[in-house]
Amino acid sequence: LILAILFNITQVVDSKSLHVLLKSCSGLPNTDPLNFGLTDAYVKVSLKRRVWDIRFTSFKTKVVQDNLNPYFNEEFEFHNLYKPEDMTLYLKVMDEGAIISTKVGKGKLPVNALRDDVPTEYDIYIKSAEVRPAYCKVILTAKGWKSDT
């Protein structure tokens, strides 16, 4: 009986995933020190629960050199999601340096409004120290979610 219950729970958890297509970012500030070039941007993509701050798998894009409007077109998949309506997608834009990377800015998007198998495009605002707005364009697709989540 316990094995059957665990199997059923595993089926429910394993059937839910989130597909992320990170298209691009625009309007990034130049964070290279002494302006020896432009931002060498990459993005860390993670999914967390809002309540418990539990982080699922994190992904990292390739680095786009010397570009304030980098184009990534990279896909990531978060699997084994339980109660995806309680999760938030986090983007952390970084500037790769020779020794250390510098944070450019960060943004977040609750995923509770997604509908199953409906690709939805978002411009996620990237908060930084700069006054001008920066955004990252993503397309999110819920897989295995019921229409009420």
Side-chain angles (χ1 to χ4, degrees), residues 28-42:
L28 297 179
N30 189 9
T31 55
D32 268 355
L34 304 175
N35 292 324
F36 287 130
L38 299 175
T39 299
D40 303 322
Y42 66 91

Side-chain angles (χ1 to χ4, degrees), residues 106-124:
K106 59 185 179 177
K108 65 182 180 177
L109 177 73
V111 297
N112 59 341
L114 292 176
R115 292 186 7 195
D116 199 25
D117 291 322
V118 178
T120 308
E121 186 173 302
Y122 295 95
D123 286 328
I124 299 178

Side-chain angles (χ1 to χ4, degrees), residues 25-76:
C25 294
S26 61
L28 297 179
N30 189 9
T31 55
D32 268 355
L34 304 175
N35 292 324
F36 287 130
L38 299 175
T39 299
D40 303 322
Y42 66 91
V43 181
K44 292 180 179 180
V45 181
S46 60
L47 191 64
K48 298 183 196 179
R49 288 205 181 285
R50 287 177 279 161
V51 178
W52 302 295
D53 203 33
I54 295 173
R55 182 183 306 248
F56 283 77
T57 306
S58 288
F59 298 100
K60 177 185 165 200
T61 66
K62 66 187 176 208
V63 175
V64 177
Q65 300 287 329
D66 290 328
N67 198 323
L68 302 180
N69 301 296
Y71 182 75
F72 298 103
N73 202 38
E74 292 192 43
E75 298 181 63
F76 308 103

Side-chain angles (χ1 to χ4, degrees), residues 9-20:
I9 290 172
T10 302
Q11 277 186 320
V12 170
V13 171
D14 288 346
S15 67
K16 295 181 180 182
S17 64
L18 177 65
H19 180 265
V20 178

Side-chain angles (χ1 to χ4, degrees), residues 66-144:
D66 290 328
N67 198 323
L68 302 180
N69 301 296
Y71 182 75
F72 298 103
N73 202 38
E74 292 192 43
E75 298 181 63
F76 308 103
E77 190 93 22
F78 292 96
H79 296 283
N80 306 323
L81 303 179
Y82 178 69
K83 291 192 174 185
E85 66 274 6
D86 294 336
M87 296 182 179
T88 300
L89 182 73
Y90 289 85
L91 302 180
K92 187 174 185 182
V93 182
M94 303 294 292
D95 178 12
E96 184 179 66
I99 299 171
I100 61 168
S101 293
T102 307
K103 183 175 84 171
V104 175
K106 59 185 179 177
K108 65 182 180 177
L109 177 73
V111 297
N112 59 341
L114 292 176
R115 292 186 7 195
D116 199 25
D117 291 322
V118 178
T120 308
E121 186 173 302
Y122 295 95
D123 286 328
I124 299 178
Y125 172 71
I126 302 300
K127 184 178 180 182
S128 70
E130 291 286 317
V131 175
R132 69 181 181 160
Y135 296 90
C136 288
K137 184 175 292 298
V138 298
I139 298 175
L140 304 179
T141 308
K143 295 184 178 182

